[in-house]
Amino acid sequence: MKERRRSKVVISDHHSRSNSMAADRSKGVVRDEFATYAYILLYIALSSGQIFFNKWVLSSKEINFPYPLGLTLLHMIFSSVLCFLLTKVLKIFKVEEGMTLEIYVTSVIPIGAMFAMTLWLGNTAYLYISVSFAQMLKAIMPVAVFVLGVAAGLEMMSCRMLLIMSIISFGVLVASYGELNINWIGVVYQMGGVVGEALRLIFMEILVKRKGIKLNPISLMYYVSPCSAVCLFLPWIFLEKSKMEGNGTWNFHFLVLTLNSLCTFALNLSVFLVISHTSALTIRVAGVVKDWVVVLVSALLFADTKLTLINLFGYAIAIAGVAAYNNHKLKKEASPRVTTETPGDNSESIALVSQANTER
């Protein structure tokens, strides 16, 4: 009898432990899903908010800081200092190894120069065109990346890709046709930023495919930010330094500009978190959602934004093309992969860092 009672107690304890483990697993899954959605929402909020924040800083009479080159330089200096503190002093993040002087000179410096050019020209465009129209023009990015990729031997021309590029181009043209207050100076600046970003992505793909270096966003910003700061500092001396001194802008709003720079860095950090907890598809979908949020919300926030049905129709066509492009790229990237790849692997992160650079 005693033996039977003991066996019943053991079985009961085993069942209770199993139920407890199952409950813990269920709670863990719910917690992970909640964290994932929180990171995605944080990315969308920071990415959209940073665009609005930059526009406000550059065009607001209260802040009086119409210096896109100076603002971008401040972002890069701030990012360089914070990356150094987080990786070398506090050691919260680890810098990926494998960087050599030869790779830095031939790959990181060109990436940093193109990154500086992209942010500088993109932020300058906000002085001439609305946030929503700038966002619509950015939809042409896959076309620029594909054309330059074909020229560099990284992409192959096909009927499918030609159709996708035609759809995106047609959508952007329709959206531009529907713009009421088009400013061609702003369009030239924005398209220059698009070309710079496309070149940056081409250099990054060369860094990964031909040199085998894989960097997460924090490591990439650690290497690229100082280089971008140097590339921005030289033109800033000749183009904006004298203007800032002449207008007495050295009495700038220190707190506002510091917060603006901190938000820029937080945006890059949010991309690091999203990449770590989700997939390439998730962050690309989040990027499309963010684009629409920026276009629609900017119409409510800024007086210079007046959306028309032609604007929205053209942008919808372009976004459909972008979605088809993303789907094509994801299938292409997934096809050669080994099935033993672990979730949250950052091997693809260097290709996704472009999603972080939405501050311009």
Side-chain angles (χ1 to χ4, degrees):
M1 289 291 292
K2 288 182 180 180
E3 290 296 327
R4 286 181 184 175
R5 284 175 187 169
R6 282 197 198 116
S7 64
K8 286 181 180 179
V9 170
V10 170
I11 293 170
S12 176
D13 288 344
H14 177 72
H15 281 307
S16 63
R17 275 198 296 270
S18 298
N19 291 335
S20 176
M21 289 173 65
D24 289 341
R25 275 197 299 270
S26 178
K27 288 179 181 178
V29 170
V30 171
R31 197 183 305 116
D32 289 342
E33 287 183 357
F34 178 79
T36 298
Y37 287 120
Y39 291 140
I40 293 171
L41 289 175
L42 178 66
Y43 161 71
I44 293 174
L46 284 173
S47 184
S48 306
Q50 187 61 37
I51 293 173
F52 301 143
F53 202 172
N54 283 354
K55 171 70 173 178
W56 179 67
V57 168
L58 290 169
S59 60
S60 170
K61 293 181 180 179
E62 293 83 6
I63 303 301
N64 190 30
F65 199 84
Y67 306 106
L69 190 50
L71 182 66
T72 310
L73 174 60
L74 183 63
H75 289 170
M76 291 299 99
I77 293 173
F78 193 88
S79 178
S80 300
V81 173
L82 265 186
C83 280
F84 179 79
L85 290 175
L86 290 174
T87 56
K88 298 300 181 181
V89 179
L90 300 177
K91 296 184 178 179
I92 297 175
F93 298 105
K94 182 182 177 183
V95 177
E96 300 286 341
E97 298 178 355
M99 183 62 64
T100 64
L101 180 61
E102 186 266 335
I103 291 174
Y104 192 89
V105 171
T106 59
S107 296
V108 174
I109 290 180
I111 289 171
M114 291 303 101
F115 190 36
M117 172 183 166
T118 299
L119 298 179
W120 169 21
L121 297 180
N123 281 331
T124 303
Y126 289 147
L127 298 176
Y128 301 95
I129 59 177
S130 66
V131 169
S132 61
F133 186 48
Q135 203 67 26
M136 291 177 187
L137 290 176
K138 285 180 197 176
I140 202 74
M141 178 72 68
V143 177
V145 173
F146 180 73
V147 170
L148 291 172
V150 170
L154 298 172
E155 296 280 359
M156 293 291 292
M157 183 64 74
S158 65
C159 293
R160 178 184 175 84
M161 288 304 293
L162 192 60
L163 176 62
I164 291 173
M165 297 301 110
S166 299
I167 291 172
I168 295 173
S169 301
F170 176 72
V172 172
L173 284 174
V174 172
S176 301
Y177 179 78
E179 180 66 16
L180 296 175
N181 301 314
I182 191 167
N183 185 307
W184 290 106
I185 296 176
V187 171
V188 169
Y189 273 119
Q190 185 60 50
M191 297 311 292
V194 167
V195 172
E197 176 69 353
L199 286 171
R200 185 183 73 88
L201 293 176
I202 293 297
F203 286 134
M204 286 171 63
E205 194 158 349
I206 291 172
L207 183 68
V208 172
K209 286 189 174 180
R210 297 186 182 174
K211 301 191 177 179
I213 302 296
K214 297 173 182 176
L215 303 173
N216 61 45
I218 297 296
S219 298
L220 190 65
M221 292 305 296
Y222 173 82
Y223 289 118
V224 169
S225 294
C227 176
S228 296
V230 172
C231 292
L232 290 165
F233 182 73
L234 296 176
W236 174 78
I237 291 177
F238 296 103
L239 298 177
E240 287 188 356
K241 183 173 180 290
S242 59
K243 294 180 183 178
M244 293 174 69
E245 290 173 342
N247 293 336
T249 313
W250 293 113
N251 298 318
F252 53 75
H253 293 253
F254 177 79
L255 183 60
V256 172
L257 294 178
T258 302
L259 183 60
N260 182 262
S261 300
L262 185 61
C263 287
T264 301
F265 187 82
L267 172 59
N268 290 315
L269 189 60
S270 72
V271 174
F272 177 81
L273 293 172
V274 172
I275 290 172
S276 301
H277 291 81
T278 61
S279 64
L281 176 61
T282 303
I283 196 167
R284 282 186 166 113
V285 171
V288 172
V289 172
K290 180 269 303 178
D291 291 341
W292 275 106
V293 168
V294 171
V295 168
L296 297 176
V297 174
S298 64
L300 302 175
L301 295 179
F302 300 106
D304 65 345
T305 301
K306 292 179 176 62
L307 294 176
T308 65
L309 288 176
I310 298 177
N311 272 146
L312 296 175
F313 178 67
Y315 189 54
I317 294 173
I319 287 297
V322 171
Y325 172 79
N326 284 339
N327 183 56
H328 176 79
K329 291 291 287 183
L330 285 168
K331 287 181 178 178
K332 183 179 176 182
E333 290 168 5
S335 57
R337 288 195 177 178
V338 182
T339 55
T340 55
E341 184 178 325
T342 57
D345 188 357
N346 287 327
S347 61
E348 65 189 356
S349 61
I350 191 168
L352 297 174
V353 175
S354 60
Q355 300 290 344
N357 304 320
T358 44
E359 59 171 291
R360 56 199 175 282

